[in-house]
Amino acid sequence: MVDNDVATKTKTKVKPKLDKPKLYKVILFNDDYTPREFVIVVLKAVFRMSEEAGYRVMMTAHKLGSCVVVVCTKDIAETKAKEAIDLAKEMGFPLMFTTEPEE
Ligand code: TYC
C-alpha cells in the first residue's frame, strides 16, 4: 500500500456575528440654580473629565441649553447619569442629566 493517504481535513472556523451594542448619549441640561463650578466638579468626579473638558461641556450647556457629555453603553450611561443627579441632589442642586440612544 502506498502511504499517500494524507488526511485532508477542512477546518471550519465558526465566527458568530454578535450585534454591536447600541450606544447611548448622556446629556447635561442647563438650569438657573446650579453654580458653574459645581457642574465642573460633577463632570470631573463622575465622568473623569479634566478641568478644561469639564469647563467646555459646562459652558456649552450653559449657552445652548444642553450638551452631550459622553457616548457609551446603556448600562454605563444610566449609571453615570444617576450618580451625577444624586451628587447634585445631595448638595441641593437641580442639575439634570438624561440618557438617549444614539441615532
Ligand atoms: N446656568 C448655571 C448658572 O449660571 C450654570 C450651569 C451650567 C448649570 C451648565 C447647569 O448644565 C449646566 N449658574
Side-chain angles (χ1 to χ4, degrees):
M1 190 186 97
V2 188
D3 192 15
N4 67 351
D5 58 333
V6 179
T8 53
K9 272 190 195 162
T10 309
K11 280 187 185 165
T12 310
K13 273 193 184 163
V14 180
K15 205 175 182 185
K17 288 216 175 84
L18 299 174
D19 280 340
K20 275 193 214 148
K22 210 175 186 184
L23 293 178
Y24 280 68
K25 300 183 277 194
V26 176
I27 301 167
L28 164 68
F29 289 89
N30 187 36
D31 66 69
D32 292 337
Y33 305 101
T34 309
R36 292 182 186 196
E37 259 315 312
F38 183 75
V39 179
I40 299 171
V41 166
V42 172
L43 292 172
K44 285 165 76 177
V46 177
F47 298 96
R48 310 234 175 270
M49 283 194 173
S50 66
E51 179 77 29
E52 292 71 28
Y55 178 80
R56 278 198 300 273
V57 167
M58 180 279 294
M59 283 308 291
T60 303
H62 178 71
K63 287 179 188 165
L64 303 181
S66 66
C67 182
V68 174
V69 180
V70 71
V71 176
C72 53
T73 61
K74 188 172 196 273
D75 262 22
I76 294 174
E78 285 172 355
T79 304
K80 294 276 173 192
K82 185 177 186 307
E83 269 177 36
I85 293 166
D86 288 350
L87 196 55
K89 248 189 216 159
E90 269 175 41
M91 298 299 291
F93 297 124
L95 191 62
M96 192 42 66
F97 292 82
T98 62
T99 64
E100 63 173 66
E102 215 191 25
E103 306 83 57

